[in-house]
Amino acid sequence: MKELAQKISEIAARARTEEDLKMGVEPLIRERLGVQDGIEVQPEYEKQTGFRGRRDAVYGHLTIEYKKPGELAGEDNINRAAKQLARYLEKASDDATEEALKRVAGVCIDGKLIFFLRYWPAELTHARPLRVKRQLSLFNAEKAEGGFQLLGPYPVTSESLEELFRYLSALRRRPLSPEPLAEEFGPGSQPAQALVGAFYQALTSTDSGLVKALFNQWEYTFGVVYGEETVRAEKDVPELARGYGLPKEAGLRYALFAVHTYFALIMKLIAAEVLSLQQGSFAPSLIGQLPAMGPVELKSQMAELEDGGVFRT
């Protein structure tokens, strides 16, 4: 993704108009979707809206608007571009009901900066995703009382482009229900094997006195709760190792501690998101912003989550 970000930066440096930028970037997007994500798309270009406007590029329910390089540098320009994109999305949703608006999203890019626009339902408008500076009201308030939330703008980097492709990949989004969750995050899944393996490696090689103390505390509680059952569980270690990408000779307690840590993290993320959706909550949406963060900011937000900051808020 770094290479793609560099290519877009080079295109922006040469481009004189938004059309130059679009003609340079669109083939890169289509190539990336087809080669790496395996998504076959037929985007529509310059698609007419109902109020004498044309959407630059339309990928199903996602609209991408291009601006002249550098045009998103000013606050007024950002507001103007966001309002224009919000109008496009409202018209694109046909009846502009909340159910229809929930399915659309927008992206605006000038080659240097990029922002995302998504609809926030009326019952959730009190919840503010991180970095959201403004909420754009719909122009037909009788049909829907929510608004579009602006996320960004962010510099065009590998992280913000990953977020763009998550929006594009959502064209084949799966339902949020127990079976897909288990398939996405359970034993054998890529996240489970990558994260549990990383946690296990970090745990077994750490020099941190705090980590060791926490593990010993957990180990004592684990022994009290499960007692002699842990002896019988030793025979399940090979299956546990296969499911989570651990060494065949993995120690049972180290492995289970890593697995518990992994699922605790997932539950914290889900709990934080659910909390942000509650009436009267001042907690922002965390999950919506994590994918676009760089390593330093991501680490800071994870530390804040572990410290309970979002829950105290």
Side-chain angles (χ1 to χ4, degrees):
M1 201 63 77
K2 284 185 178 181
E3 183 180 352
L4 179 59
Q6 180 61 35
K7 287 181 178 178
I8 292 177
S9 178
E10 293 170 358
I11 291 170
R14 298 192 303 267
R16 294 180 178 274
T17 67
E18 63 181 64
E19 186 66 19
D20 292 340
L21 182 67
K22 184 180 79 172
M23 295 298 290
V25 173
E26 277 297 306
L28 299 179
I29 290 177
R30 295 197 303 271
E31 179 184 13
R32 169 64 166 73
L33 282 173
V35 173
Q36 296 194 34
D37 288 355
I39 302 176
E40 295 184 7
V41 293
Q42 296 293 333
E44 299 178 80
Y45 296 112
E46 299 300 322
K47 188 171 183 180
Q48 182 74 44
T49 66
F51 72 109
R52 294 180 298 175
R54 293 180 181 272
R55 293 182 284 163
D56 290 339
V58 181
Y59 291 78
H61 295 302
L62 180 71
T63 295
I64 301 179
E65 281 296 302
Y66 291 90
K67 296 298 178 184
K68 181 180 177 180
E71 191 170 324
L72 296 181
E75 186 74 12
D76 290 342
N77 288 344
I78 293 171
N79 279 326
R80 186 161 45 249
K83 289 179 180 179
Q84 179 190 45
L85 185 53
R87 286 196 295 269
Y88 287 167
L89 295 176
E90 184 186 13
K91 294 298 182 182
S93 64
D94 297 325
D95 56 5
T97 61
E98 289 209 327
E99 284 305 311
L101 290 166
K102 288 176 185 177
R103 295 193 294 268
V104 299
V107 177
C108 187
I109 180 172
D110 71 352
K112 298 180 180 180
L113 295 172
I114 184 172
F115 69 72
F116 304 89
L117 208 63
R118 65 181 185 184
Y119 182 73
W120 214 246
E123 67 270 18
L124 305 181
T125 52
H126 61 280
R128 295 291 188 269
L130 297 179
R131 282 189 172 181
V132 168
K133 300 176 182 177
R134 57 195 75 79
Q135 177 164 313
L136 307 173
S137 297
L138 289 173
F139 298 92
N140 192 339
E142 293 182 359
K143 289 188 177 182
E145 298 177 354
F148 284 99
Q149 294 276 348
L150 176 63
L151 286 75
Y154 308 106
V156 174
T157 62
S158 56
E159 290 83 15
S160 60
L161 290 178
E162 287 283 2
E163 180 73 348
L164 168 62
F165 282 99
R166 284 187 178 87
Y167 275 75
L168 289 165
S169 297
L171 297 172
R172 56 177 184 179
R173 179 174 293 167
R174 306 178 66 190
L176 187 64
S177 55
E179 291 78 10
L181 276 175
E183 186 175 339
E184 291 290 340
F185 300 112
S189 68
Q190 190 276 333
Q193 298 207 343
L195 279 173
V196 175
F199 291 159
Y200 182 88
Q201 177 63 28
L203 177 62
T204 55
S205 61
T206 184
D207 292 325
S208 168
L210 176 60
V211 172
K212 291 179 179 178
L214 291 171
F215 173 73
N216 289 336
Q217 181 182 10
W218 173 90
E219 187 177 32
Y220 172 77
T221 305
F222 179 82
V224 170
V225 172
Y226 292 101
E228 294 181 359
E229 291 183 20
T230 59
V231 177
R232 294 192 292 272
E234 290 286 350
K235 63 179 174 54
D236 296 322
V237 170
E239 183 178 356
L240 188 70
R242 284 194 301 273
Y244 291 102
L246 301 176
K248 293 181 180 179
E249 66 281 2
L252 174 64
R253 298 188 183 215
Y254 286 108
L256 287 178
F257 186 80
V259 171
H260 285 183
T261 302
Y262 166 68
F263 281 110
L265 175 59
I266 290 177
M267 287 188 284
K268 287 173 188 173
L269 288 169
I270 294 176
E273 189 69 6
V274 170
L275 183 64
S276 74
L277 302 181
Q278 302 309 301
Q279 185 66 36
S281 172
F282 291 98
S285 171
L286 180 62
I287 291 176
Q289 289 293 289
L290 289 179
M293 293 180 182
V296 174
E297 190 176 5
L298 176 61
K299 183 177 180 180
S300 174
Q301 288 296 328
M302 288 289 91
E304 179 74 5
L305 176 68
E306 287 295 323
D307 192 45
V310 63
F311 303 106
R312 283 197 301 274
T313 301

